[in-house]
Amino acid sequence: MLIYNYFCNFAHIINNIIKKEMVMRHLRWMPLLIVIAVVIANNSCTSRDLFDEKITQEISDSLSPVDTLDKYHDWSLTDTRSIAVETNANVNAQWLKILTADPRQTEDAEVVAQVMTSSDQTAYFMSFCYPSILETLYAALIDDQGRYTVTAFPTSQSKVDFSEPLYTQQLIAYTPQPQAFVYCYEDEMPDFLTVDFDFNDIILNIAYERTGEREMRFHVELAAVGTGRQVGAAIRLKNFKYNDIESVTTVDDASFNVNNSGQDVPDQLLVVHKDRAPLLMSNNGSEEAVINLFCDAHWATGDLLTENYGQIQRKRYNVAKGSGTDYQTMVPREVTYIVTFKSALGLENLNFDLIDPFIIKEYNGGIFEVHQFAKRNDWVLNEYRVADIVKLPWALVIPYKKFRHTLEGVNIGFKKKDILGFGAYSRDRGHTFGEWSMDHTIAKDWYLNEHATDNQVY
């Protein structure tokens, strides 16, 4: 409106000049008036904040696939628990692990937390996140022969011991792996006009485990790239400082910034994220540690070659059934980051609440970060401002490694009033994304595979 008013005033002046038949007299002033108008317009553009939060929210409301949301929604499918564990010194244990299931009853048990034990210590403090749908967790002591002593406890319990184990020193047919969370991003943020709510623009599968007194390993898998734009990614370790970390390396020196032909991502490609260093410091004044993942998601798939950097065709990977001109099936690439801390202090508190994976993208000439809902107002490497999202988040965190993400352009779960509409997770009443959106206390299991519409998920 400010620019419009300037031009209206300018037009009004010219009109008066013409009406008073003073064209010739004022003609010599015309170039100067035009320059003044352009300067005013440019100044108004540079000084005015072009990101209008109110208008953005109005557009969001009109385009959202869900029209009535739970105003208390935090878009979290997990709970966090801190517990004290007493080992009772009944086995010569090397590890203490918290599991999502009894490993003797299922092969799907995952490790949500683990700590190395010692002969002179019997009490341990552990903090971890777990899927909200679980009501029971399992503590396991593993000895030097790989034998398990397991006890069950309700998720509401804060103290656990092994006074009455389910079984003692039993071999398990497999080794439970670290719990994996699936991070699903919409890269349109904050552009509501093009958003499709398929949450598949970037899909990262992330797991972590403590593998030494001062060592943590982060397993990062790039599962899908459903965007046609350049996107980078990194992980902030909230509450852990850059100077708390001794080093960040990778298993076998692997890197997402090196393609399948062994070529480094070229400088000519680097637009949204230019730093290749494995460890970064946040730019927001917190000095928090940042694990640097990749500069370009398409390059990170391993498919692009440097000789094509002048005219890249950015395909979409693992978001369509089969391959074609614009779509490609790929084997997900995984890189394991070895983070060695200078001290073990506080590592027992590191859980998924403090792990903040985010993507980096360009919008309207600015660099934006897309974070999970709980950290939506944070910025780490690039300062920006976003509307306080009321309708839907720009990222979903799914505590389920088998989660089947949506196909390209498929809404994750349409819900209007009391009518179940369409979408990948809208099939089973009582277990739909839309119902969970409207009431965060119900349908918390919507993301399980049995509730997906098969021809709408990958």
Side-chain angles (χ1 to χ4, degrees):
M1 286 301 296
L2 184 60
I3 299 173
Y4 176 78
N5 289 338
Y6 279 128
F7 277 106
C8 285
N9 292 336
F10 175 67
H12 182 66
I13 292 171
I14 299 303
N15 188 50
N16 285 341
I17 292 173
I18 295 174
K19 283 184 178 181
K20 294 178 181 179
E21 299 181 348
M22 299 173 65
V23 176
M24 294 306 295
R25 183 181 301 176
H26 290 83
L27 191 58
R28 67 180 182 273
W29 296 102
M30 188 65 68
L32 179 59
L33 290 172
I34 293 174
V35 170
I36 292 172
V38 171
V39 170
I40 291 172
N42 287 338
N43 286 340
S44 64
C45 285
T46 55
S47 62
R48 187 184 183 206
D49 185 355
L50 297 180
F51 185 77
D52 190 310
E53 186 170 339
K54 181 178 180 181
I55 292 177
T56 300
Q57 190 60 63
E58 290 174 353
I59 296 173
S60 168
D61 293 349
S62 66
L63 296 178
S64 174
V66 182
D67 60 1
T68 305
L69 294 183
D70 183 344
K71 65 180 180 179
Y72 299 109
H73 220 310
D74 60 3
W75 301 100
S76 175
L77 292 164
T78 64
D79 290 325
T80 302
R81 176 67 54 196
S82 295
I83 63 172
V85 183
E86 170 62 52
T87 63
N88 301 101
N90 59 355
V91 293
N92 184 26
Q94 289 191 331
W95 288 96
L96 167 61
K97 300 184 180 184
I98 306 300
L99 307 175
T100 58
D102 183 346
R104 198 170 62 171
Q105 300 297 322
T106 176
E107 294 185 355
D108 290 330
E110 291 185 297
V111 181
V112 301
Q114 64 183 36
V115 64
M116 297 181 68
T117 59
S118 62
S119 56
D120 58 352
Q121 183 177 349
T122 61
Y124 298 87
F125 177 84
M126 308 177 79
S127 179
F128 51 85
C129 301
Y130 62 93
S132 298
I133 59 176
L134 295 182
E135 296 181 352
T136 303
L137 292 170
Y138 298 80
L141 292 168
I142 300 96
D143 65 17
D144 57 359
Q145 301 298 312
R147 295 174 298 186
Y148 281 64
T149 296
V150 175
T151 188
F153 63 95
T155 56
S156 59
Q157 192 167 305
S158 58
K159 293 183 179 181
V160 179
D161 63 48
F162 286 83
S163 59
E164 297 181 3
L166 297 176
Y167 48 89
T168 301
Q169 295 181 300
Q170 298 291 311
L171 289 174
I172 304 300
Y174 71 104
T175 301
Q177 296 302 300
Q179 177 181 226
F181 279 17
V182 183
Y183 292 81
C184 310
Y185 298 91
E186 279 287 342
D187 84 326
E188 285 88 356
M189 191 281 285
D191 184 6
F192 288 91
L193 296 178
T194 59
V195 65
D196 52 15
F197 295 110
D198 55 15
F199 289 96
N200 69 5
D201 292 328
I202 298 291
I203 303 288
L204 295 174
N205 298 333
I206 298 178
Y208 74 94
E209 57 180 326
R210 188 169 181 176
T211 48
E213 183 182 3
R214 297 185 294 114
E215 180 183 285
M216 303 287 291
R217 296 198 177 198
F218 295 83
H219 307 282
V220 181
E221 182 182 75
L222 179 59
V225 178
T227 179
R229 292 178 271 197
Q230 185 176 89
V231 174
I235 302 174
R236 171 179 59 151
L237 300 182
K238 191 172 175 62
N239 296 347
F240 287 87
K241 304 296 185 182
Y242 175 89
N243 289 327
D244 291 339
I245 293 179
E246 182 177 294
S247 65
V248 174
T249 59
T250 61
V251 172
D252 298 326
D253 293 323
S255 173
F256 283 119
N257 288 321
V258 179
N259 69 9
N260 288 335
S261 299
Q263 298 168 315
D264 291 324
V265 56
D267 292 338
Q268 295 91 333
L269 279 184
L270 303 184
V271 177
V272 301
H273 185 48
K274 301 181 180 181
D275 203 325
R276 298 181 179 89
L279 176 63
L280 302 176
M281 180 190 292
S282 64
N283 293 327
N284 57 17
S286 68
E287 298 185 356
E288 289 174 321
V290 179
I291 303 172
N292 200 10
L293 300 184
F294 51 78
C295 299
D296 186 323
H298 290 86
W299 191 271
T301 66
D303 191 44
L304 298 181
L305 300 177
T306 53
E307 56 263 30
N308 296 328
Y309 69 79
Q311 46 181 355
I312 285 177
Q313 180 184 11
R314 293 185 176 275
K315 294 184 178 181
R316 289 172 166 83
Y317 295 85
N318 292 357
V319 293
K321 304 279 190 179
S323 301
T325 303
D326 300 318
Y327 296 90
Q328 183 72 40
T329 299
M330 73 165 185
V331 175
R333 295 184 73 194
E334 180 177 318
V335 175
T336 295
Y337 296 83
I338 306 170
V339 181
T340 304
F341 293 80
K342 295 177 181 178
S343 168
L345 186 65
L347 290 188
E348 69 277 4
N349 295 318
L350 181 57
N351 57 43
F352 275 112
D353 281 346
L354 301 180
I355 296 173
D356 178 25
F358 61 95
I359 64 171
I360 307 163
K361 47 93 60 161
E362 184 273 339
Y363 172 71
N364 202 25
I367 304 300
F368 284 70
E369 298 173 2
V370 182
H371 295 258
Q372 56 192 288
F373 186 79
K375 302 171 179 66
R376 64 194 181 282
N377 293 319
D378 295 356
W379 66 271
V380 179
L381 300 175
N382 307 276
E383 185 174 5
Y384 61 93
R385 188 171 71 86
V386 299
D388 187 15
I389 306 303
V390 174
K391 284 298 179 184
L392 291 177
W394 293 103
L396 291 172
V397 185
I398 313 297
Y400 182 51
K401 66 181 180 180
K402 295 182 178 180
F403 177 66
R404 298 179 67 186
H405 58 267
T406 62
L407 297 178
E408 179 60 25
V410 176
N411 191 293
I412 197 167
F414 181 95
K415 184 77 169 68
K416 297 288 185 180
K417 302 300 181 187
D418 195 37
I419 301 173
L420 285 179
F422 57 87
Y425 289 89
S426 293
R427 189 187 67 193
D428 298 338
R429 186 177 290 275
H431 308 278
T432 71
F433 176 86
E435 290 169 299
W436 177 66
S437 299
M438 300 176 77
D439 184 345
H440 75 282
T441 66
I442 65 173
K444 290 184 176 182
D445 63 347
W446 65 265
Y447 56 85
L448 299 179
N449 286 346
E450 57 260 37
H451 304 311
T453 301
D454 187 65
N455 64 357
Q456 295 185 331
V457 295
Y458 187 75

